[in-house]
């Protein structure tokens, strides 16, 4: 596939070449709750939260903030300007962390927040051309094992491959495999950490459905993950480790997460560490020529109008277009497209907002030697080395 070259190239890279391809990554995608309610086939809106008992309440909060949202919207509505960005860059692989069960199960796991999208709203994901959903997170079991199995089955029936969850540990730990024509295989592992709120009991076992669970603070868990990834990788594969780790808010990155990311690259042969869970973008690192995203920030959610964390600007989000060298997985370039959520729809961010994100990423990336430059079209370009 082809992609347009960014207006400005990152340091240490050249113009797009025949031996490169682009992978799209982003943070958490939450198509449940308020988002589900504006789609053509909403689920039962009953919630089991302390403050909000009806999912339509989140729609009302968003409308109070930015104005009326039409209902029902078309399946592509929520993606807004992201659709043009995808079309222009034509990534070979589109990977998201899906933090929503796709199910009609009415048996919630009582944990405070339960995300659910009706299976008839699945075209919302296919409208975005998603190739793979990482599922090892703290919401895929919000509606129990039945909800998890429904989610996997629904996605696979739509031609979307999954990683990180399954009927048993073997299935949950197995990578999703995406073949890129003329470039080789992309292996995608998905892991969910206790540090991001995934309970230990959600971990899959030989007899129990669940997620590929880990605790990066445990040397034994880290060894298990490294061995699993290394055993699946073949010469010439490009490997992505998609990890749900760390708290929702704050820019601090624990040393255990840095150590795990480095070990995945150095020991297991991972080419991209795709970190998520934070509701705002965190630092970007390049280690041994491999990209480490410590936290991508949310991509799509129903938080519009919720107060309390305005300083983090969680209304702003990023599209990560990662250009890799086929056969080696070496980072050739990273372009970031800033967006803003308004009326449950992604809009191209204003220049001032793009500059704010640039400054945050510069500040947080300084410890890792990365910088971000503003491109001619308002996009952001990573520089390193």
């Amino acid at each position: 596939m082809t992609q347009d070259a960014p207006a400005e190239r990152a340091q240490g890279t050249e113009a797009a070449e025949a031996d490169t391809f682009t992978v799209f990554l982003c943070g958490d995608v939450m198509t449940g709750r308020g988002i589900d309610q504006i789609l053509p086939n909403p689920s039962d809106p009953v919630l089991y939260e302390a403050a909000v008992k009806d999912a339509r309440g989140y729609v009302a909060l968003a409308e109070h903030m930015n104005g009326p949202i039409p209902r029902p919207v078309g399946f592509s509505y929520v993606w807004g300007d992201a659709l043009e960005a995808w079309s222009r860059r034509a990534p070979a692989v589109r990977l998201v962390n899906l933090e929503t069960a796709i199910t009609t199960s009415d048996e919630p796991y009582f944990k405070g927040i339960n995300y659910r999208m009706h299976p008839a709203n699945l075209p919302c994901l296919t409208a975005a051309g998603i190739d793979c959903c990482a599922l090892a997170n703290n919401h895929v079991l919000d509606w129990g094992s039945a909800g998890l199995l429904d989610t996997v089955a629904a996605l696979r029936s739509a031609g979307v491959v999954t990683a990180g969850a399954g009927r048993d540990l073997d299935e949950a730990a197995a990578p999703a495999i995406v073949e890129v024509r003329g470039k080789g295989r992309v292996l995608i592992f998905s892991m969910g950490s206790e540090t991001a709120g995934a309970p230990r009991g959600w971990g899959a076992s030989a007899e129990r459905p669940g997620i590929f669970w880990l605790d990066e603070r445990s040397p034994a868990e880290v060894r298990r993950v490294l061995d699993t990834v290394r055993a699946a990788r073949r010469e010439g594969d490009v490997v992505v480790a998609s990890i749900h780790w760390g708290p929702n808010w704050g820019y601090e990155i624990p040393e255990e997460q840095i150590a795990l990311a480095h070990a995945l690259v150095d020991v297991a042969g991972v080419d991209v560490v795709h970190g998520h869970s934070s509701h705002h973008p965190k630092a970007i690192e390049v280690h041994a020529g491999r990209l480490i995203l410590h936290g991508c920030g949310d991509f799509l959610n129903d938080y519009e109008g919720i107060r309390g964390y305005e300083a983090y600007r969680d209304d702003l989000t990023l599209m990560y277009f990662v250009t890799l060298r086929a056969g080696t997985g070496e980072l050739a370039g990273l372009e970031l497209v800033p967006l803003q959520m308004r009326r449950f729809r992604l809009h191209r961010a204003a220049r001032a907002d793009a500059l704010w994100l640039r400054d945050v990423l510069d500040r947080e990336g300084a410890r890792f030697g990365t910088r971000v430059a503003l491109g001619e079209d308002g996009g952001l370009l990573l520089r390193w080395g």
Side-chain angles (χ1 to χ4, degrees):
M1 304 183 75
T2 61
Q3 57 272 339
D4 293 342
E8 181 182 349
R9 276 291 167 189
Q11 180 176 328
T13 68
E14 302 171 356
E17 300 170 355
D19 67 340
T20 65
F21 65 94
T22 299
V23 174
F24 166 79
L25 304 171
C26 66
D28 302 343
V29 169
M30 305 175 215
T31 53
R33 218 167 55 176
I35 301 291
D36 179 65
Q37 291 302 305
I38 68 169
L39 293 172
N41 306 288
S43 303
D44 184 336
V46 172
L47 299 178
Y48 301 91
E49 302 176 11
V52 182
K53 303 299 183 182
D54 189 308
R56 292 168 293 192
Y58 287 98
V59 182
L61 283 171
E63 291 183 320
H64 180 73
M65 171 70 72
N66 287 316
I69 299 172
R71 276 171 274 175
V73 298
F75 289 118
S76 63
Y77 168 87
V78 294
W79 306 110
D81 290 337
L83 294 171
E84 187 275 334
W86 278 318
S87 176
R88 180 181 167 199
R89 292 158 183 84
V93 181
R94 304 186 194 192
L95 166 63
V96 305
N97 173 59
L98 180 66
E99 277 207 297
T100 300
I102 304 172
T103 184
T104 56
S105 171
D106 285 321
E107 297 183 10
Y109 183 96
F110 288 101
K111 57 189 279 290
I113 296 176
N114 303 84
Y115 288 111
R116 173 177 59 175
M117 180 176 75
H118 197 284
N121 285 332
L122 186 61
C124 174
L125 294 176
T126 56
I130 304 302
D131 296 299
C132 178
C133 288
L135 297 178
N137 55 57
N138 60 317
H139 286 291
V140 73
L141 276 150
D142 278 359
W143 298 87
S145 295
L148 179 150
L149 296 175
D150 286 348
T151 302
V152 172
L155 290 167
R156 292 180 179 176
S157 71
V160 179
V161 296
T162 66
R167 293 166 294 183
D168 54 32
L169 180 57
D170 284 346
E171 187 169 279
I177 301 174
V178 179
E179 295 276 355
V180 179
R181 183 180 299 176
K183 310 290 184 179
R185 304 194 312 170
V186 177
L187 271 58
I188 301 165
F189 293 86
S190 172
M191 311 155 202
S193 170
E194 189 172 48
T195 62
R200 180 182 294 269
W202 281 20
S205 71
E207 301 83 23
R208 180 182 64 221
I211 66 171
F212 189 19
W213 185 90
L214 71 92
D215 181 352
E216 62 268 26
R217 299 163 298 190
S218 164
E221 285 293 322
V222 170
R223 283 195 299 272
R224 178 175 67 95
V225 167
L226 296 177
D227 290 345
T228 299
V229 174
R230 187 167 47 194
R233 186 179 184 275
R234 298 196 316 226
E235 185 70 26
D237 287 341
V238 170
V239 182
V240 178
S242 187
I243 313 178
H244 202 62
W245 58 8
N248 294 150
W249 305 103
Y251 294 105
E252 181 182 358
I253 302 171
E255 290 302 321
E256 294 88 349
Q257 291 182 13
I258 297 173
L260 173 58
H262 289 185
L264 284 166
V265 171
D266 297 335
V267 178
V270 166
D271 301 299
V272 178
V273 177
H274 172 218
H276 37 80
S277 176
S278 60
H279 291 326
H280 52 85
K282 297 175 73 171
I284 302 173
E285 179 181 4
V286 179
H287 172 74
R290 269 62 186 172
L291 178 67
I292 299 173
L293 302 171
H294 286 286
C296 289
D298 288 342
F299 189 58
L300 184 69
N301 62 36
D302 65 353
Y303 294 172
E304 194 175 342
I306 298 175
R307 302 289 188 174
Y309 294 94
E310 289 85 349
Y312 292 101
R313 291 299 310 271
D314 63 316
D315 60 314
L316 300 180
T317 188
L318 287 168
M319 305 179 80
Y320 297 76
F321 291 95
V322 185
T323 301
L324 303 170
R325 299 202 180 281
T328 71
E330 182 183 3
L331 180 65
L334 172 62
E335 182 184 11
L336 306 103
V337 177
L339 301 170
Q340 183 183 42
M341 177 68 85
R342 295 195 308 275
R343 299 170 68 221
F344 285 179
R345 195 166 195 253
L346 292 167
H347 299 263
R348 191 68 184 258
R351 179 180 174 84
D353 292 330
L355 290 172
W356 187 89
L357 284 167
R358 180 202 63 183
D359 292 345
V360 168
L361 292 173
D362 269 355
R363 182 191 72 210
E364 298 305 317
R367 67 179 290 193
F368 299 113
T370 60
R371 304 166 304 285
V372 175
L374 187 69
E376 291 181 359
D377 64 350
L380 303 174
L381 301 165
L382 184 71
R383 297 183 182 277
W384 70 93

